[in-house]
Amino acid sequence: DYTTFTPRFASEFGFQSLPSPRALEDATRSIRTPHTDGTEEGKDKSPTNPTRSDADGNLRSDSLDGDGDGNGSSGVERVRSRALCVPALEYRQRSGGGMQKIERGIESMFRVNEDAHASMHRMAYLSQLTQAEVIRCGVEHWRRSFPYCCGSLYWQLNDVWVGPSWSSLEYSGSWKLLHYAAREFYADVLVSLHDADRVGECGPSCTISAVNNSAVRYQGDVNVSVHDMEGNVISQVSVNVQLEAEESAALHTIDPPRSTAAWFVLAKCDTRSSPAVWFSERLCNLRVPAGKPPSVNIVSCTEIKVTNMDSAPLHYVTLLYEGVETPVVFSRNC
């Protein structure tokens, strides 16, 4: 938990995530994992396609035994997720107990069913989402601590191959969700939602803070709305922000509504491409309504419009475009 300490400068901190499923599948077609008998995995058993995915995005291993432990090394407790136990994936894991850390991180934030544990597509998405949220939490905490903490530099930017890693850019140059998040949490003017110092009888409160690391004075409004988990608006407030250059401040605190025990807060402002969000508990402990899939319309060759067709809110909607070789970058994602 990065919020438990505040350094003068934070560097080389990070959390691993998986690459996109298509990139992983393409890479593992030609992977050569050494056997203890001197032969190579994939070369003798299935020279064309050692690892492939089915229609549901579940990685299936033909040439690989499928008895990996999710560690990259022996002697460590096994992971439960079948999607993380593919030997070709483990072969590219360069962190001791790395798969366990990825799985624990995901399960500490999200409720994961058995279908998700078996799906490489879902686990890759959840790992990238967890990575983005973990780093965002730390960076925003340290930025709110300015000027005591005057900077941070997460590990790492890019990759030298396709595999589990700490990077925010994939080997191909595609953006992981962390890279999209970094564009928000490293903006010159940051609006951040976080747990308040006080916890009342009805649970935790939410504090709205802002940091201005630009060279000029900032003035604007933050439109804040409080919702129940069905998306119904409980209350709204507009918070005026006036910060001098290189200044940080706590602006407003929202106490828990008495009408519901589970709630979330959205904050919209002109410094963010997407709203900041705060939940009263971790999502793994909340009952989130199952909404309908959003409508995705291709408006033009440079514009895609995503519309929520349901009354229930859709959290962490992510676009993944895999139809071209050149990496596609969206103006906002997740």
Side-chain angles (χ1 to χ4, degrees):
D1 185 354
Y2 294 129
T3 64
T4 59
F5 63 97
T6 305
R8 288 292 192 176
F9 184 89
S11 65
E12 294 199 40
F13 61 95
F15 186 87
Q16 282 193 326
S17 68
L18 303 182
S20 63
R22 180 181 177 183
L24 183 61
E25 186 175 348
D26 290 344
T28 53
R29 284 197 181 99
S30 60
I31 196 170
R32 296 293 180 263
T33 308
H35 269 308
T36 54
D37 60 4
T39 62
E40 289 183 340
E41 212 54 275
K43 189 173 184 179
D44 297 323
K45 293 186 177 182
S46 177
T48 57
N49 188 15
T51 307
R52 67 172 188 268
S53 62
D54 61 19
D56 296 324
N58 305 321
L59 275 189
R60 304 303 187 193
S61 177
D62 291 339
S63 68
L64 309 183
D65 297 331
D67 58 354
D69 57 12
N71 316 319
S73 61
S74 60
V76 184
E77 63 179 283
R78 292 174 177 267
V79 297
R80 295 189 298 108
S81 175
R82 286 178 289 164
L84 298 179
C85 290
V86 177
L89 182 63
E90 294 178 289
Y91 177 63
R92 298 198 169 198
Q93 173 57 267
R94 288 299 180 261
S95 174
M99 294 307 189
Q100 284 84 355
K101 295 174 185 176
I102 292 175
E103 185 178 67
R104 286 198 302 267
I106 292 173
E107 292 183 337
S108 71
M109 297 185 64
F110 304 103
R111 190 175 299 170
V112 186
N113 58 29
E114 291 303 316
D115 289 341
H117 273 303
S119 169
M120 179 57 66
H121 281 79
R122 297 184 187 182
M123 292 305 288
Y125 162 71
L126 288 173
S127 72
Q128 290 195 23
L129 185 53
T130 301
Q131 179 191 41
E133 284 298 294
V134 166
I135 303 304
R136 179 198 63 79
C137 182
V139 170
E140 289 193 4
H141 164 67
W142 294 321
R143 290 196 63 185
R144 293 192 304 267
S145 303
F146 181 86
Y148 185 88
C149 179
C150 286
S152 61
L153 185 64
Y154 66 78
W155 179 266
Q156 66 195 59
L157 177 63
N158 54 3
D159 266 332
V160 297
W161 67 353
V162 178
S165 84
W166 301 266
S167 73
S168 61
L169 290 176
E170 295 198 33
Y171 175 70
S172 66
S174 297
W175 288 27
K176 290 183 179 180
L177 296 184
L178 171 57
H179 213 71
Y180 285 102
R183 185 164 57 181
E184 301 284 359
F185 61 65
Y186 276 137
D188 286 346
V189 179
L190 170 70
V191 173
S192 175
L193 303 181
H194 56 98
D195 292 354
D197 293 335
R198 66 174 184 263
V199 178
E201 295 180 358
C202 298
S205 300
C206 173
T207 293
I208 305 159
S209 296
V211 184
N212 179 15
N213 285 134
S214 70
V216 297
R217 187 175 187 271
Y218 173 80
Q219 180 173 346
D221 293 317
V222 180
N223 297 314
V224 183
S225 55
V226 179
H227 304 255
D228 63 22
M229 296 310 295
E230 299 291 337
N232 301 309
V233 177
I234 299 174
S235 63
Q236 293 177 302
V237 64
S238 180
V239 180
N240 183 254
V241 183
Q242 298 187 44
L243 290 176
E244 300 297 330
E246 303 295 348
E247 183 183 7
S248 63
L251 305 175
H252 184 73
T253 296
I254 299 175
D255 291 323
R258 296 187 177 276
S259 58
T260 180
W263 53 293
F264 67 93
V265 179
L266 292 178
K268 301 177 182 179
C269 60
D270 60 3
T271 66
R272 299 183 63 99
S273 62
S274 58
V277 61
W278 177 91
F279 294 96
S280 58
E281 292 189 56
R282 294 190 178 188
L283 283 178
C284 60
N285 299 323
L286 294 173
R287 186 178 297 277
V288 181
K292 299 177 182 178
S295 170
V296 180
N297 297 314
I298 300 178
V299 179
S300 67
C301 60
T302 59
E303 183 179 358
I304 297 176
K305 185 177 181 180
V306 181
T307 306
N308 184 3
M309 306 301 292
D310 201 349
S311 58
L314 296 176
H315 303 290
Y316 302 118
V317 175
T318 301
L319 296 174
L320 179 63
Y321 192 79
E322 297 185 321
V324 296
E325 295 298 326
T326 304
V328 174
V329 176
F330 300 101
S331 60
R332 55 182 290 190
N333 206 0
C334 190

